[in-house]
């Protein structure tokens, strides 16, 4: 046998072996890293996703919490994992912010993107006796700059940036509605009902209890179109005529360089997960928004999110 033919056959055998290995994936349990603590919203959604992925992939999917650094520890571990499909993770909203504020050199470009499965737009919330519409609220802010204070969580968080980005989009500055930092949406909503502040920006799952109690009203959502779960709440675009939407998101990703067949199988599996009755009932019961985007669509979604968070951070003077 000629040397050339031997080399050809050896190469063909290697390619065939690699193809068989990928075709057999997964052959052992998969680790799903969650960058946030057990018991929180991201952890809860990760566990239902893991349970349903097990059914689709035929192997255990084990959730592991890697906390610290405001999610940086877990996101970094996902990005640095071996790209063999056996270590995946839940990436979250904060990934759209790290590189802008200089806390970590991470962005969506550092991952193999599997699928988006959840989005929760920021809402504009007022007291039950507050402005009837977001147009009325904006008019009040313009008439008395600095009088109407706002909150939602910490300075520089998603809720804060949602408000700053909105003000910037309508030609106002952060000083028009000063931000009062808190430890989260719950204390912010308490400040709202106690009349210490006038505006809260946070997601619907966070505000729902007080909305249901009749103490708080949601006058607009920061999403491109109305949410089917809240059909009577208008969007910023239809009320103010500006293209501004921002919210929290969660998705599944792996380290950069996942083999394409593995990535495709994962994306297809996630498409089935988000349509599974167990998933939809779980998410609906907790008022988490369901949204699927796989592959290039997920990449495009994250590119837009990155751009909007960057614009808001620049307006707030927080971008490095």
């Amino acid at each position: 046998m000629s040397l050339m033919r031997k080399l050809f056959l050896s190469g063909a055998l290697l390619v065939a072996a690699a193809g068989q290995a990928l075709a057999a994936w997964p052959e052992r349990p998969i680790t799903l890293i969650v960058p946030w603590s057990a018991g929180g919203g991201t952890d809860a959604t990760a566990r239902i996703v893991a349970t349903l992925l097990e059914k689709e992939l035929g192997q255990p999917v084990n959730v592991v919490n890697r906390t610290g650094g405001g999610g940086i520890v877990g996101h970094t571990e996902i990005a640095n994992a071996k790209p063999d499909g056996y270590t995946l993770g839940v990436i979250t909203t904060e990934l759209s912010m790290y590189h802008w504020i200089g806390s970590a050199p991470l962005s969506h470009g550092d991952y193999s993107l599997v699928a988006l499965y959840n989005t929760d737009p920021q809402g504009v919330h007022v007291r039950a006796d507050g402005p009837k519409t977001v147009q009325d609220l904006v008019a009040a802010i313009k008439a008395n700059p600095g009088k109407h204070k706002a909150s939602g969580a910490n300075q520089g968080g998603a809720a804060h940036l949602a408000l700053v980005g909105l003000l910037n989009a309508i030609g106002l500055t952060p000083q028009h509605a000063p931000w009062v930092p808190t430890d989260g949406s719950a204390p912010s909503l308490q400040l709202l009902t106690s009349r210490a502040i006038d505006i809260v920006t946070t997601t619907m799952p966070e505000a729902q209890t007080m909305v249901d109690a009749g103490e708080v009203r949601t006058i607009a959502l920061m999403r491109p179109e109305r949410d089917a779960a809240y059909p009577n709440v208008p969007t910023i675009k239809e009320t103010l005529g500006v293209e501004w939407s921002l919210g929290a998101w969660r998705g599944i990703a792996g380290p950069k360089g996942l083999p394409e067949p593995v990535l495709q199988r994962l994306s297809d599996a996630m498409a089935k997960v988000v349509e599974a009755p167990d998933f939809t009932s779980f998410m609906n019961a907790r008022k988490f928004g369901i949204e699927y985007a796989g592959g290039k669509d997920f990449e495009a979604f994250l590119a837009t999110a990155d751009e909007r968070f960057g614009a808001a951070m620049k307006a707030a003077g927080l971008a490095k």
Side-chain angles (χ1 to χ4, degrees), residues 30 40 133 196 207 244 308:
I30 296 166
T133 67
W244 178 250
R308 287 180 176 160

Side-chain angles (χ1 to χ4, degrees), residues 136-150 167 170-179 198-199:
D136 293 339
L137 176 63
V138 169
I141 291 172
K142 288 181 177 179
N144 294 283
K147 177 183 177 182
H148 300 279
K149 294 180 174 58
L167 293 172
I170 59 177
L172 303 181
T173 69
Q175 290 71 39
H176 277 82
W179 190 258
D198 303 290
I199 311 157

Side-chain angles (χ1 to χ4, degrees), residues 54-123:
E54 287 183 359
K55 296 178 181 179
E56 295 297 329
L57 300 176
Q59 289 288 348
V61 179
N62 301 314
V63 174
V64 176
N65 300 90
R66 291 284 188 262
T67 61
I72 291 173
V73 170
H75 280 96
T76 300
E77 188 165 332
I78 299 165
N80 291 342
K82 184 178 179 180
D84 57 6
Y86 290 101
T87 301
L88 307 170
V90 179
I91 57 175
T92 63
T93 315
E94 290 70 20
L95 187 61
S96 298
M97 302 161 61
Y98 292 142
H99 72 100
W100 287 110
I101 59 177
S103 59
L106 292 170
S107 72
H108 65 275
D110 295 310
Y111 301 84
S112 294
L113 302 174
V114 176
L116 176 75
Y117 67 83
N118 160 242
T119 60
D120 290 305
Q122 296 288 336

